[in-house]
């Protein structure tokens, strides 16, 4: 028990988790916006938009997240000199958010598209019949219903994103998986306890997300 | 108006053809509907009557031919098409009320978003129309909370809110329980009496007799026969029509 408590004194475990929560929050926000735009492109009647949306999804969904995150540091920052912030650490943090965003946007897009499939075709026809063109029809009629139908798959993306935020360590961001490795190096004798701390920590973060999305998907379901 | 020729049809279809794959679903359709006319289209299922109705506001594209609304050619896409659709009211078999919006919002959405009407004015307009179709007391509810007949009357109000030049009804009572059919038909009869131009796909002979100026009988993608309701129901000329009427009037 003493060792357990001293771990929390010697290492900023909560701070590391806080970093993951922040990464998750900003990447969730970014990927939701980007994913919605991509979904709109994929359901639009314009072939070139459909093509761009589909290509994006197929490229980023099939690229390992680690490669995207490492590219942020070695490709964007080192090679291309892309600097998002003056602050050295904050810069890597933001690059990691960008990486997480572009990767998960592909999954958000597909989750929203699965929600679009829950909206009967008649809804779009009725919207067109009163004179709405594609964008207002999609924005006012299709998306609001699609998002309600996509709460559960979007929740799954959010859960995956929460855990995938640990990949940010490959992008030189101080967060849980990096801290865990450091702790294991110096406290190999209690490796199992350290693993347990981080596993339980993520379970504590993720379980409420699962409960909330289940509750929301029931509450927001569109009555037909 | 004085400069317009009085006889120009409001809806005009010229040599319209459409295929669904190998199926020639609309075969050289020619049809003119004048202002204020009520046309009932009947025919066996698969005769193309629904496709015809949907083609008039381009929910279905056509392969060849021309469709004119008030003398203007139906644009193929974009803002022009949206504007033209606003002039053509459509009532669907399955109502298609916007499921996530209240009854009132269903009716105000078009005027506010398409016609850029002030929300207050749109609300007044909508409440007046809901009053007219007899569902004003349901204005705050969601569509799923209403009966089918009430939903269909809201759908009529939603279409009317755009002040359309012509109203299309695609089997408006086919999805309704028998006891709700009349409340919808009554609303439609009233609309016809007020001079609305209507194209109605229906099997309701009562409505056709009461409100229609003309009955069009379609079979196998063709307009087989056109006549006044009385003439058509009592003395159909074509074998196809006789056969069809024999089947539906038997019971």
């Amino acid at each position: 028990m003493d060792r357990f408590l001293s771990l929390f004194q010697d290492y900023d475990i909560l701070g590391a988790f806080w970093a993951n929560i922040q990464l998750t929050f900003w990447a969730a926000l970014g990927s939701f916006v980007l994913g919605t735009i991509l979904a709109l492109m994929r359901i639009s009647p314009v072939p070139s938009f459909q093509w761009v949306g589909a290509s994006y999804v197929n490229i980023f969904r099939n690229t390992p997240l680690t490669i995207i995150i490492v590219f942020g540091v070695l490709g964007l920052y080192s090679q291309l000199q892309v600097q998002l912030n003056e602050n050295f650490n904050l810069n890597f943090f933001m690059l990691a958010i960008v990486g997480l965003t572009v990767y998960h946007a592909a999954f958000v897009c597909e989750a929203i598209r699965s929600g679009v499939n829950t909206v009967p075709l008649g809804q779009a026809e009725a919207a067109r019949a009163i004179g709405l063109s594609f964008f207002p029809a999609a924005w006012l009629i299709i998306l609001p219903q699609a998002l309600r139908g996509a709460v559960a798959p979007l929740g799954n993306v959010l859960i995956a994103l929460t855990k995938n935020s640990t990949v940010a360590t490959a992008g030189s961001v101080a967060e849980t998986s990096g801290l865990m490795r450091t702790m294991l190096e110096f406290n190999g004798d209690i490796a199992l306890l350290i693993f347990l701390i981080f596993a339980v920590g993520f379970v504590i973060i993720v379980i409420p997300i699962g409960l909330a999305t289940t509750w929301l998907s029931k509450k927001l379901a569109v009555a037909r | 108006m004085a400069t317009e020729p009085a006889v120009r049809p409001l809806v005009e279809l010229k040599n319209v053809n459409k295929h669904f794959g190998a199926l020639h679903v609309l075969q050289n359709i020619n049809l003119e509907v004048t202002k204020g006319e009520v046309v009932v289209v009947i025919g066996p299922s698969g005769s193309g009557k629904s496709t015809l109705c949907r083609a008039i506001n381009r929910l279905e594209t056509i392969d060849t031919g021309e469709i004119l609304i008030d003398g203007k050619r139906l644009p193929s896409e974009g803002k022009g098409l949206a504007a033209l659709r606003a002039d053509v009211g459509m009532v669907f078999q399955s109502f298609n009320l916007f499921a996530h919006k209240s009854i009132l919002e269903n009716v105000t959405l078009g005027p506010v978003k398409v016609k850029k009407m002030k929300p207050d004015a749109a609300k007044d307009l909508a409440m007046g129309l809901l009053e007219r179709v007899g569902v004003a007391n349901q204005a705050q509810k969601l569509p799923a909370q209403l009966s089918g007949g009430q939903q269909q009357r809201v759908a009529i109000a939603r279409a009317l809110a755009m002040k359309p030049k012509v109203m299309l009804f695609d089997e408006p009572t086919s999805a309704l329980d028998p006891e709700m059919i009349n409340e919808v038909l009554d609303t439609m009869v009233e609309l016809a009496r007020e001079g609305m131009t209507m194209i109605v796909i229906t099997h309701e002979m009562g409505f056709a007799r009461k409100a229609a100026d003309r009955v069009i009988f379609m079979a196998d993608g063709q307009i087989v026969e056109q006549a006044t309701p009385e003439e058509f129901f009592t003395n159909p000329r074509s074998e196809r029509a006789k056969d069809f009427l024999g089947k539906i009037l038997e019971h």
Side-chain angles (χ1 to χ4, degrees):
Chain A
M1 194 64 195
D2 284 348
R3 289 293 298 276
F4 179 76
L5 288 177
S6 68
L7 278 178
F8 277 85
Q9 274 160 11
D10 297 343
Y11 302 98
D12 188 9
I13 297 173
L14 295 179
F17 271 108
W18 178 235
N20 283 86
I21 291 172
Q22 284 178 303
L23 285 167
T24 303
F25 177 81
W26 293 112
L29 216 61
S31 58
F32 183 71
V33 173
L34 184 56
T36 304
I37 294 169
L38 289 166
L40 281 172
M41 290 173 103
R42 291 204 74 174
I43 63 169
S44 85
V46 184
S48 52
F49 282 176
Q50 290 171 11
W51 186 85
V52 171
S55 305
Y56 182 100
V57 168
N58 283 319
I59 291 168
F60 286 100
R61 191 174 57 178
N62 297 325
T63 307
L65 179 57
T66 318
I67 291 180
I68 295 175
I69 297 288
V70 172
F71 176 81
V73 175
L74 300 181
L76 285 183
Y77 176 69
S78 302
Q79 184 98 59
L80 299 172
Q81 312 275 307
V82 175
Q83 201 171 1
L84 299 177
N85 200 288
E86 300 277 303
N87 182 314
F88 191 69
N89 286 329
L90 202 55
N91 183 44
F92 287 136
F93 190 79
M94 288 173 134
L95 282 170
I97 290 172
V98 169
L100 288 167
T101 296
V102 295
Y103 178 77
H104 289 91
F107 293 89
V108 168
C109 167
E110 294 305 276
I112 290 175
R113 236 158 50 93
S114 79
V116 170
N117 288 334
T118 68
V119 183
L121 185 62
Q123 295 285 311
E125 290 189 342
R128 284 151 67 195
I130 60 169
L132 292 171
S133 43
F134 168 75
F135 188 75
W139 189 251
L140 297 167
I141 306 299
I142 307 303
L143 263 190
Q145 296 185 57
L147 289 177
R148 288 155 179 244
V151 170
L154 283 173
N156 287 339
V157 175
L158 182 58
I159 288 170
L161 167 60
T162 309
K163 296 184 287 184
N164 287 346
S165 67
T166 54
V167 177
T169 203
S172 307
V173 175
E175 49 74 69
T176 48
S177 62
L179 180 67
M180 186 177 80
R181 195 168 53 196
T182 313
M183 286 166 70
L184 286 170
E185 271 170 30
F186 294 99
N187 304 277
D189 55 325
I190 50 168
L192 289 181
L193 177 65
I194 292 169
F195 274 119
L196 201 66
I197 288 172
F198 287 99
V200 169
F202 271 100
V203 168
I204 290 171
I205 295 172
V206 168
I207 280 183
I209 298 176
L211 292 176
T213 50
T214 307
W215 178 76
L216 265 178
S217 70
K218 281 188 187 137
K219 186 175 158 56
L220 292 178
V222 182
R224 301 204 187 276
Chain B
M1 276 304 195
T3 55
E4 305 278 319
V7 289
R8 189 180 71 192
L10 190 55
V11 179
E12 197 175 1
L13 283 79
K14 290 182 192 166
N15 305 320
V16 171
N17 281 285
K18 179 174 177 73
H19 293 79
F20 281 132
L23 183 67
H24 198 172
V25 70
L26 294 178
Q27 302 181 15
N28 214 36
I29 299 287
N30 286 286
L31 176 66
E32 292 186 357
V33 180
T34 51
K35 193 172 183 323
E37 197 179 11
V38 177
V39 175
V40 161
V41 184
I42 78 171
S45 71
S47 60
K49 55 194 193 310
S50 225
T51 311
L52 174 79
C53 186
R54 292 162 57 82
I56 293 173
N57 69 351
R58 217 185 157 84
L59 288 177
E60 298 283 356
T61 55
I62 54 172
D63 299 339
T64 58
E66 242 191 333
I67 298 177
L68 301 145
I69 308 283
D70 206 7
K72 273 178 283 183
R73 204 183 164 175
L74 206 56
S76 55
E77 55 196 271
K79 281 205 156 56
L81 177 62
L84 210 104
R85 277 187 180 136
D87 282 343
V88 181
M90 176 105 182
V91 175
F92 300 87
Q93 180 176 350
S94 49
F95 329 133
N96 294 347
L97 293 182
F98 304 132
H100 63 305
K101 298 215 171 268
S102 74
I103 295 307
L104 182 63
E105 288 167 337
N106 262 277
V107 184
T108 55
L109 189 102
V112 172
K113 299 293 179 187
V114 178
K115 296 212 153 171
K116 309 291 173 202
M117 197 186 259
K118 291 238 157 47
D120 282 347
K123 195 186 163 195
D124 289 346
L125 170 74
M127 286 310 293
L129 287 166
L130 290 173
E131 191 80 50
R132 187 162 141 198
V133 299
V135 284
N137 54 348
Q138 316 281 341
Q140 302 309 325
K141 290 189 182 167
L142 286 170
Q145 295 170 285
L146 269 60
S147 73
Q150 289 172 325
Q151 288 193 50
Q152 194 59 300
R153 284 183 282 151
V154 174
I156 294 172
R158 175 175 69 180
L160 288 176
M162 297 305 291
K163 302 200 164 55
K165 290 175 180 161
V166 52
M167 288 274 283
L168 308 173
F169 294 82
D170 186 6
E171 304 208 29
T173 57
S174 300
L176 293 175
D177 291 333
E179 74 271 23
M180 290 168 188
I181 290 177
N182 278 332
E183 63 188 62
V184 172
L185 290 180
D186 288 346
T187 308
M188 289 166 60
V189 170
E190 205 179 302
L191 205 56
R193 293 226 170 100
E194 285 163 16
M196 176 60 77
T197 312
M198 294 163 68
I199 298 173
V200 185
I201 318 289
T202 186
H203 288 145
E204 296 294 331
M205 304 298 156
F207 173 80
R209 282 205 147 103
K210 223 186 277 182
D213 298 304
R214 183 161 41 130
V215 171
I216 287 173
F217 177 72
M218 277 187 82
D220 304 322
Q222 292 170 320
I223 293 179
V224 177
E225 194 169 336
Q226 303 194 39
T228 63
E230 209 45 50
E231 209 179 302
F232 178 76
F233 290 122
T234 54
N235 188 23
R237 280 163 293 163
S238 64
E239 283 306 314
R240 287 286 289 162
K242 278 178 197 163
D243 183 50
F244 177 73
L245 286 174
K247 276 179 190 150
I248 60 169
L249 295 177
E250 242 165 43
H251 300 287

